[in-house]
Amino acid sequence: SQDPFFIKILNFISGRNENVYLIGGYLRDLLIGHRSNDIDLSLKGDVINYGRLMADYLKGSFVLLDDVHQVVRVVIKEGKVVRTVDFAEIETDIENDLTRRDFSINALALDLKKFIKDKKFSLSDIIDVTDGLADLEDKRIYAVSSNIFKEDPIRLLRLLRIGHKLGFLIDEKTKLLAVKNSHLIKKEK
């Protein structure tokens, strides 16, 4: 990536001991040549402290999203553009955590410590336990599990947003699953 913001993040990570993985939409978009302002990272360890340290390093704002599940956000304003870095704790291992993501194209990971050390990248470096690379190549959105919308109904909206943004087709099983769970999106009073 030629993204100066991402390079700053890599510089921060290279000076630390924790294993950090790039996951989600930024990696997906990077693979298809799109630019994204939001970066998702997973790591094993004290996510809250790591997020605070990165916020200081990037001169950004630290936001605690979920102290129980160790989820934090760093927000940086670059002129009129707002960039975010979200951190989540790896509960068991990265492979297991990827199976709990929403869609296969978002369930990809890259070991950033290895990437920094090797100074190169190939598709074989991508951790892909849900065939997300094949779905990315086929321009298809596929639900990782049948529970994704029950766990987080906002994913119903994300499904449509990602499909529209990328011009990807929604897999038939995923479409049926979305229709079946559409009642989970309720109108607020």
Side-chain angles (χ1 to χ4, degrees), residues 72-151:
V72 302
R73 175 172 290 161
V74 175
V75 181
I76 299 91
K77 192 167 182 186
E78 296 179 327
K80 294 181 180 181
V81 177
V82 176
R83 305 288 305 261
T84 62
V85 184
D86 287 352
F87 298 87
E89 181 182 34
I90 297 172
E91 292 184 19
T92 53
D93 57 57
I94 190 64
E95 291 83 0
N96 186 53
D97 278 19
L98 291 174
T99 64
R100 293 195 328 268
R101 305 271 312 160
D102 51 8
F103 309 112
S104 62
I105 60 173
N106 291 337
L108 303 168
L110 177 64
D111 182 337
L112 290 179
K113 290 296 254 193
K114 182 180 181 323
F115 173 73
I116 292 165
K117 182 178 146 263
D118 294 347
K119 294 181 175 55
K120 63 182 172 96
F121 162 79
S122 74
L123 283 180
S124 64
D125 294 325
I126 300 290
I127 302 165
D128 179 12
V129 296
T130 64
D131 291 327
L133 286 173
D135 290 336
L136 202 57
E137 187 174 328
D138 293 340
K139 298 183 178 194
R140 176 182 56 222
I141 303 174
Y142 189 84
V144 169
S145 81
S146 60
N147 293 323
I148 67 162
F149 301 122
K150 291 176 187 167
E151 292 168 0

Side-chain angles (χ1 to χ4, degrees), residues 48-60:
I48 294 172
N49 185 53
Y50 198 90
R52 287 186 199 282
L53 291 170
M54 184 176 281
D56 289 344
Y57 177 82
L58 296 172
K59 296 176 179 47

Side-chain angles (χ1 to χ4, degrees), residues 142-184:
Y142 189 84
V144 169
S145 81
S146 60
N147 293 323
I148 67 162
F149 301 122
K150 291 176 187 167
E151 292 168 0
D152 184 358
I154 294 298
R155 288 172 167 167
L156 288 159
L157 300 175
R158 189 177 305 139
L159 172 67
L160 299 173
R161 181 181 54 81
I162 291 171
H164 177 73
K165 173 186 167 188
L166 300 178
F168 282 20
L169 294 175
I170 299 170
D171 171 78
E172 283 302 316
K173 287 181 184 176
T174 302
K175 208 181 287 185
L176 291 171
L177 189 62
V179 169
K180 178 182 173 187
N181 289 282
S182 63
H183 69 280
L184 297 172

